[in-house]
Amino acid sequence: MIFVTGGAGYIGSHTCVELLMAGHDVTVYDNFSNSQWEATERVQRIAGRTMAVVRGDIRDGAALQAALHASGAKAVVHFAGLKAVGESEAEPLKYYDNNVLGTVRLLEAMAACGVKTLVFSSSATVYGVPEVLPYREDHRLSATNTYGMTKLVVENMLRDLHRSDADWRIGILRYFNPVGAHSSGLIGEDPQGTPNNLMPYVAQVAVGRREFLNVWGNDYPTPDGTGVRDYIHVVDLALGHVKALDYLGANTGCVSVNLGAGVGHSVLDMVRSFEAASGRPVPFKVGPRRAGDLDAYWADASLAQALFGWRVERGLDVMCEDTWRWQNMNPNGYKGEK
Ligand code: NAD
Ligand code: WQD
């Protein structure tokens, strides 16, 4: 049994599908602050198996411990948290409360239940401004915004915890830019309000929900002047969690591992790929740079291959085709008409 905090969210829902398909039993624990119950129903439909779903907040230590104990889980995958960079700058305490204090409560509950295997959702944002590219796991760590700092604080907390008690088995997974959706078109990313991230915005332009994409800057020192990122299909990312759990079942330690494709694509690459996949135009206007954006970064993904035997299998075309299927089948997300 695997206990999945934030399992109703974008990456969590896709990971639950792959955990169920791999034969794991799953309990989701989510407060639905940024997700819909419907996502958990669809996960079970895709996998053809049931899972337990508990509505609860990770900051509620007593409820969390009761749910973890009742689940009988042997490991936790911890997705629950807030992720909007701009909001984290405006409301830092909300981010420290959810992401840092929430994780303290989770670790306390795990210790009380004798569950010492954890996979944590970290982010490439912990590398800060690149000193060398691609980012390797031994790159210097720093944060350029409050969201990133909460990830860095939790990473440090996990390393300290492991140093204090070597029985812990911890996988810190540093995601690059997750995009795409399940090939069924039943689950995908469902941002509330105006999307912050590129791919959902592009998809909403293609489907006609927004008029044009704002390209934030075309004067970066990149091949076409637009920002370059390492986009990873969310199903490949989900499979990385299944492999990480297999690894932690056989190895003690606290490892930090990049989950990325190992290649960079520009904003205009994404626009062109999406147009090809959807057969729809994606009009755009070039605007000023977005404050705090880095020009380019991508992963050295070789450690994940060496430790977990994992690498990405889905390219940009599949990322765009699957996003388009999800967007087309669910033009207004899980809630239908908004
Ligand atoms: P998401 O918002 O779709 O999922 C997070 C889930 O956690 C949601 O279902 C939300 O309701 C739940 N949640 C939030 N606070 C909670 C709380 N206090 N108690 C219980 N549940 C709570 O986000 P996602 O894109 O699936 O991201 C999952 C994790 O991966 C997050 O920790 C995020 O920071 C990290 N991450 C995401 C990205 C990305 O670009 N999507 C990149 C790197 C890391
Ligand atoms: C990608 C590229 C933009 C939107 C963020 C977080 C990071 C991680 C992933 C969690 C950039 C450009 C975007 C738009 C655009 N999250 N862009 N127009 O900024 O790489 O990463 O999400 O850990 O911490 O910072 O992702 O999708 O927002 O942007 O031109 O409307 O697309 O400038 O070059 P980003 P993104």
Side-chain angles (χ1 to χ4, degrees), residues 14 38 42 45-46 181-190 203-204 206-209 274 277-278 280 320-338:
H14 289 82
E38 173 69 15
R42 295 191 186 184
R45 209 193 316 163
I46 294 167
H182 192 266
S183 59
S184 62
L186 289 174
I187 58 172
E189 188 170 11
D190 183 20
Q204 291 189 7
V207 84
R209 202 169 144 186
F274 207 90
S278 65
R280 299 280 183 94
C320 292
E321 284 160 17
D322 288 341
T323 304
W324 178 238
R325 188 177 305 105
W326 154 253
Q327 178 68 56
N328 222 2
M329 285 171 62
N330 311 269
N332 295 305
Y334 288 112
K335 282 199 284 202
E337 292 304 310
K338 279 184 188 162

Side-chain angles (χ1 to χ4, degrees), residues 5-12 29-36 56-59 78-83 98-99 102 120-124 147 151 174-178 189 197:
T5 75
Y10 173 45
I11 305 169
Y29 186 89
D30 200 302
N31 68 358
F32 296 92
S33 59
N34 195 37
S35 52
Q36 306 296 324
D57 196 298
I58 54 169
R59 294 165 295 174
H78 178 34
F79 293 106
L82 302 177
K83 62 168 181 177
N98 256 278
N99 295 3
F120 171 63
S121 301
S122 189
S123 166
Y147 165 74
K151 290 292 175 191
R174 296 181 181 144
Y175 312 156
F176 282 69
N177 285 53
E189 188 170 11
N197 296 115

